[in-house]
Amino acid sequence: MSNNWNNWSGHVTANPRLIVSPADAGELGDLIRTAPGPVRVVGAGHSFTPLVKSEGTILSLEKFEGLVSHDTGRHQARVRAGTRLGPLMHILQGLGQGLPNMGDIDRQAIGGALGTATHGSGPTLGAYHTQLETVQIVDGLGKLREFTKAGDQDMIHAIGVALGAFGILSEVTLNNIATYRLRRRKWVLPIADMLRDFETMMAAHRSAEFYYIPFSGYAQFIASDLSDAAPTTRPPEEDEAGLRTLRRLRTALAWLPSLRRRLILGAVAKLPAEDYVQDWLNVYASDRQTKFNEMEYHLPYEEGPKVLAEIIALTERHFPEVYFPMEVRTVAPDEFWLSPFYKRPTCSIAIHHDAASDPQPFMRAAEPIFRRYGGRPHWGKMHSLKAADLKKLYPRWDDAMAVRRDIDPRNRFVSPYMAGLFGIEQ
Ligand SMILES: Cc1cc2nc3c(=O)[nH]c(=O)nc-3n(C[C@H](O)[C@H](O)[C@H](O)COP(=O)(O)OP(=O)(O)OC[C@H]3O[C@@H](n4cnc5c(N)ncnc54)[C@H](O)[C@@H]3O)c2cc1C
């Protein structure tokens, strides 16, 4: 029987001996002890790096789904780690709770989103892992263990961002907030103005981000702020139609840059400004149908505009095939040892490449720019870093690796890719 597995973009493939979905923590523990290794856990398979790849066993937590318990006064909810963000939003809304922030999509499993430090945007808003109160894992010996922020904050900081290598999360308790409503606005402005006013514009909103539309000279700015106003209709999504236009112009005019720029400008001018009010769960997530591969680096906040200017220059000089907008966000600093936001206010810059063609030349050319400014890669997005590079970027690296050895003394969760990342001899 074939056990083919691939990630969302199709770039990472695996042919493990076993793909299996345990029903409970007992079965999960048995599999960790006895299944062919290495044992890698998958959430929704939306990472672009080979984190989940295994020729031994891929474990899916799709049966670890739903609410376990909640605390209304504290706005806390304990959920099974395989719960997808989409259903999670609705569970929380029903409890009068909301996630403080979200990324672009709601397809990930909460365990997978935590595993790579998945984030949204907002200078005072942390990534999902900063919501962790309690973590229940099954360790590399198949034993159930639980850690709480109140009882053992260091362990929460060590295993909150853990790439599926510090035990398998079975349940987590999240600190949420009371349900809320957002006013979301979108408008277009020249990229030169955006870069000049970066700090004031990004800081002026609860959540702000922007997309640079390549070969246009323009950015689309998106701002979200708390609102008590009555909900209004969310306009239909234009992202996929916009992408189709950008791809058509790329294909027809890649080697006629000035005509391409003029036609893109025409399309950008037609982008409708957006302004609506909705409950939090109807605002953050978009539909992403066109497959791509992505690199995202997390940079010191103040370096963002300089780095983006260099990435734009590189793209427009050497990579006419690129048409996906570049995404720029901010993330609040935190204390998690393997968090790319560790003790650092962050500007995140993401570049994308159509999944139908080889992303490597573009990614390889862009990566040295990100690295020159001290960028830390998104764990779930393309990068080429190995243990020796990563250790320099993470002050608590050695402490984190010691915790990993304690949790997984038999290296059950260590695939060749993970061995390279963590510097483990196999
Ligand atoms: C279309 C698209 C949009 C995206 N948008 C954003 C965005 O806005 N912001 C952002 O930061 N990222 C974004 N990403 C990246 C994505 O959020 C991360 O790669 C995330 O980790 C994927 O979640 P997943 O459930 O698919 O996890 P997987 O990719 O399946 O797994 C990710 C890691 O988590 C581990 N893991 C999964 N479940 C568990 C568990 N129960 N216990 C322990 N470890 C576990 C895996 O072993 C692996 O190491 C996007 C990706 C795509 C494809």
Side-chain angles (χ1 to χ4, degrees):
M1 192 182 82
S2 148
N3 271 327
N4 292 331
W5 179 88
N6 61 269
N7 73 336
W8 175 84
S9 74
H11 190 75
V12 182
T13 57
N15 191 10
R17 288 169 63 194
L18 188 63
I19 299 181
V20 61
S21 308
D24 54 39
E27 213 179 296
L28 176 57
D30 289 343
L31 283 162
I32 292 173
R33 273 190 295 273
T34 59
V39 176
R40 298 296 301 156
V41 57
V42 63
H46 275 52
S47 294
F48 300 94
T49 44
L51 287 169
V52 169
K53 187 179 174 86
S54 171
E55 299 307 316
T57 299
I58 293 182
L59 281 176
S60 161
L61 288 208
E62 66 193 355
K63 293 183 185 156
F64 283 61
E65 217 270 325
L67 181 70
V68 179
S69 59
H70 67 102
D71 181 324
T72 308
R74 293 198 170 105
H75 300 304
Q76 289 177 341
R78 184 173 174 114
V79 295
R80 295 181 189 88
T83 309
R84 301 288 177 111
L85 298 182
L88 177 62
M89 296 190 307
H90 291 278
I91 291 170
L92 295 181
Q93 178 76 355
L95 301 173
Q97 301 183 18
L99 294 165
N101 199 14
M102 293 187 73
D104 291 344
I105 56 163
D106 60 8
R107 300 300 158 99
Q108 304 96 323
I110 185 65
L114 293 165
T116 62
T118 292
H119 63 98
S121 192
T124 61
L125 300 172
Y128 288 110
H129 58 266
T130 59
Q131 290 181 246
L132 281 172
E133 181 64 32
T134 309
V135 168
Q136 185 192 69
I137 59 164
V138 181
D139 71 12
L141 301 175
K143 216 172 86 198
L144 201 60
R145 294 165 75 171
E146 181 148 330
F147 306 98
T148 63
K149 197 165 135 190
D152 201 341
Q153 182 157 277
D154 264 3
M155 279 304 282
I156 297 287
H157 288 162
I159 70 177
V161 178
L163 297 84
F166 292 54
I168 293 181
L169 300 170
S170 39
E171 294 179 5
V172 293
T173 302
L174 299 174
N175 288 307
N176 300 305
I177 58 176
T179 187
Y180 58 100
R181 203 166 272 166
L182 290 170
R183 177 181 181 197
R184 171 161 288 210
R185 284 173 292 162
K186 270 188 195 176
W187 66 94
V188 166
L189 76 167
I191 187 66
D193 295 357
M194 185 64 240
L195 293 177
R196 186 194 59 216
D197 299 336
F198 172 80
E199 297 216 7
T200 37
M201 286 188 71
M202 297 304 259
H205 302 279
R206 180 181 188 273
S207 167
E209 64 183 297
F210 68 92
Y211 287 90
Y212 173 65
I213 302 158
F215 303 92
S216 79
Y218 277 80
Q220 185 176 46
F221 188 74
I222 306 174
S224 302
D225 291 288
L226 295 175
S227 171
D228 292 328
T232 57
T233 308
R234 177 176 167 164
E237 279 195 44
E238 301 288 343
D239 292 4
E240 286 294 325
L243 267 182
R244 278 195 297 276
T245 304
L246 291 172
R247 183 172 52 213
R248 259 199 318 272
L249 293 173
R250 181 283 313 262
T251 306
L253 300 169
W255 302 105
L256 289 170
S258 55
L259 181 56
R260 180 183 184 187
R261 186 177 292 267
R262 228 175 324 131
L263 293 180
I264 292 179
L265 277 179
V268 169
K270 283 197 218 117
L271 279 175
E274 210 173 272
D275 188 352
Y276 67 91
V277 175
Q278 263 298 333
D279 290 331
W280 67 278
L281 71 169
N282 299 323
V283 173
Y284 295 109
S286 297
D287 195 16
R288 295 279 180 257
Q289 287 166 13
T290 308
K291 296 279 168 88
F292 54 82
N293 285 299
E294 181 175 350
M295 169 179 280
E296 183 176 48
Y297 263 80
H298 302 300
L299 298 139
Y301 184 73
E302 62 287 356
E303 306 286 15
K306 248 184 292 171
V307 178
L308 182 64
E310 285 194 37
I311 295 288
I312 292 173
L314 171 87
T315 308
E316 297 189 352
R317 242 177 251 145
H318 299 294
F319 295 95
E321 85 268 20
V322 171
Y323 66 90
F324 274 85
M326 300 167 184
E327 189 174 15
V328 182
R329 295 181 273 189
T330 62
V331 188
D334 65 54
E335 300 287 329
F336 287 70
W337 298 355
L338 293 185
S339 163
F341 319 110
Y342 181 76
K343 290 194 190 291
R344 189 160 96 176
T346 295
C347 171
S348 302
I349 301 180
I351 56 175
H352 310 74
H353 198 273
D354 193 317
S357 58
D358 182 7
Q360 288 304 345
F362 181 45
M363 303 295 173
R364 270 201 298 269
E367 193 171 35
I369 300 176
F370 290 129
R371 291 192 63 190
R372 197 155 9 94
Y373 289 91
R376 295 172 178 153
H378 188 306
W379 291 116
K381 302 187 184 178
M382 290 182 155
H383 68 89
S384 67
L385 272 53
K386 296 276 186 286
D389 314 302
L390 293 162
K391 191 174 152 79
K392 292 187 205 135
L393 296 172
Y394 286 92
R396 300 295 301 266
W397 183 262
D398 289 340
D399 297 329
M401 293 305 122
V403 171
R404 191 207 67 78
R405 280 192 298 276
D406 170 63
I407 289 179
D408 185 21
R410 293 168 56 209
N411 290 341
R412 293 288 286 157
F413 305 126
V414 181
S415 60
Y417 177 72
M418 296 308 300
L421 272 192
F422 287 168
I424 299 166
E425 283 188 22
Q426 286 199 303

